[in-house]
Amino acid sequence: KKMKRNIAYPAYVSQQLIEIDDEIKARRFHGLRISETIDADFLGEEFRGYVFKVTGGADKQGFGMKQGVLEPGRKRLLLDGNSGNLRTPKRKGARKRRSVRGCIVAGDISVLNLVIVVRGPEDLVGLTDAKSQKPVRLGLKRASKIRKAFRLTDEHDIYDYIVRRKLEPREGHEGENRYKYPKIQRLVTPEKLQRKRRRVALKKRRYANQKAQAAEYAQLMAQIKKEKRDALASKKRAKSSIRLSTNA
């Protein structure tokens, strides 16, 4: 039977699905685990020098391979919402039993996902040639990831390193340059620090006002209780004086 191999090249954002009719070539993938690499010289002369990495796969019934399950067959595991094979449960902590395939490639794997980690001297049509390279439309948005990708320091302006997409000029505004780019997330600016200082100051001010109001309320309640005690004591003294006068 034909074995399908989904090969991807992340540098060019390209992928291609090939079918292997030769059973001997298909068996060369058997026994590999997810994240292991293999030389692709046996696939043909055009694959000479290429190295593939196994990233996953699925069998004919559509059950995907799962990292960490050291078996070539299918298993039923009790999974939660953080496992990646189960939707977010309705209740917190709920788990369900789901069928998954092990991380070891076997003969009943119909589609195997591969990624090119080492490029060979010859270009593969639809994968590594110049025509298959697609422009990067969406780039990084988080400030820490942009700094890590371009090795930037705090002195660099991050907006100079984001992906910008050029837009068509508007009607009546020919010659203008319009670009669309994402808003950088988690970027610490002086304005953001000032807003944070203002929030902290308002929080402290509210706490001080609440404390002063609580002290004033406690003082008022103590005064009311004292007045009630004095009134009760004066009333008792008046009653006792009336009782003594009647007895006399």
Side-chain angles (χ1 to χ4, degrees):
K1 62 180 180 179
K2 295 182 179 181
M3 306 294 292
K4 296 180 181 179
R5 298 293 180 265
N6 188 15
I7 305 174
Y9 188 50
Y12 283 4
V13 198
S14 60
Q15 66 177 10
Q16 190 177 31
L17 186 66
I18 63 173
E19 294 183 356
I20 301 177
D21 300 331
D22 191 354
E23 186 177 357
I24 297 177
K25 293 182 180 180
R27 286 187 176 183
R28 294 288 296 271
F29 293 97
H30 294 179
L32 294 177
R33 298 181 183 179
I34 294 179
S35 73
E36 286 188 351
T37 59
I38 183 174
D39 295 332
D41 298 341
F42 63 92
L43 293 177
E45 188 63 26
E46 65 274 12
F47 291 96
R48 183 173 54 85
Y50 282 84
V51 178
F52 295 158
K53 184 176 76 171
V54 181
T55 58
D59 56 7
K60 190 175 181 180
Q61 288 75 26
F63 293 97
M65 300 172 62
K66 183 173 178 58
Q67 180 70 288
V69 183
L70 301 178
E71 286 195 10
R74 195 183 303 172
K75 295 290 291 183
R76 287 182 61 83
L77 303 178
L78 199 61
L79 305 174
D80 57 3
N82 299 325
S83 61
N85 296 72
L86 181 67
R87 294 180 181 178
T88 303
K90 294 182 179 180
R91 291 188 177 184
K92 184 178 180 180
R95 296 185 297 173
K96 288 187 177 182
R97 196 168 293 278
R98 288 288 183 265
S99 295
V100 296
R101 291 203 61 88
C103 65
I104 301 176
V105 181
D108 50 355
I109 295 292
S110 61
V111 179
L112 188 65
N113 300 328
L114 304 171
V115 172
I116 299 175
V117 293
V118 177
R119 183 176 174 180
E122 297 183 6
D123 292 337
L124 299 177
V125 179
L127 273 178
T128 59
D129 56 340
K131 294 182 179 180
S132 62
Q133 184 176 7
K134 299 178 182 178
V136 179
R137 183 177 178 272
L138 300 177
L140 301 175
K141 294 178 63 177
R142 191 180 300 177
S144 59
K145 292 188 176 182
I146 296 175
R147 290 194 180 98
K148 183 179 179 181
F150 295 98
R151 298 180 180 179
L152 304 179
T153 60
D154 296 337
E155 300 177 356
H156 294 84
D157 188 5
I158 300 182
Y159 280 95
D160 296 337
Y161 297 87
I162 59 178
V163 176
R164 301 174 184 266
R165 182 162 54 93
K166 191 172 183 179
L167 303 177
E168 297 293 333
R170 296 174 295 178
E171 295 183 2
H173 297 79
E174 288 77 9
E176 69 172 352
N177 295 325
R178 297 175 60 223
Y179 296 93
K180 190 173 184 180
Y181 55 91
K183 178 183 176 182
I184 298 179
Q185 305 295 324
R186 304 184 186 181
L187 180 62
V188 180
T189 59
E191 292 81 5
K192 191 171 184 178
L193 294 176
Q194 175 59 28
R195 296 191 191 103
K196 184 177 180 180
R197 288 193 294 267
R198 182 175 179 272
R199 288 196 304 269
V200 173
L202 290 176
K203 188 175 181 180
K204 290 181 179 180
R205 193 183 306 169
R206 286 196 300 267
Y207 176 73
N209 292 336
Q210 291 175 0
K211 193 173 181 180
Q213 291 176 3
E216 184 179 356
Y217 178 76
Q219 185 178 2
L220 179 62
M221 293 301 296
Q223 184 179 357
I224 292 174
K225 289 182 179 180
K226 184 177 181 300
E227 292 177 355
K228 286 184 178 181
R229 287 196 302 268
D230 295 342
L232 183 60
S234 62
K235 189 176 181 180
K236 287 182 178 180
R237 285 195 300 269
K239 284 184 178 181
S240 62
S241 61
I242 294 172
R243 190 181 302 113
L244 290 175
S245 63
T246 53
N247 292 334

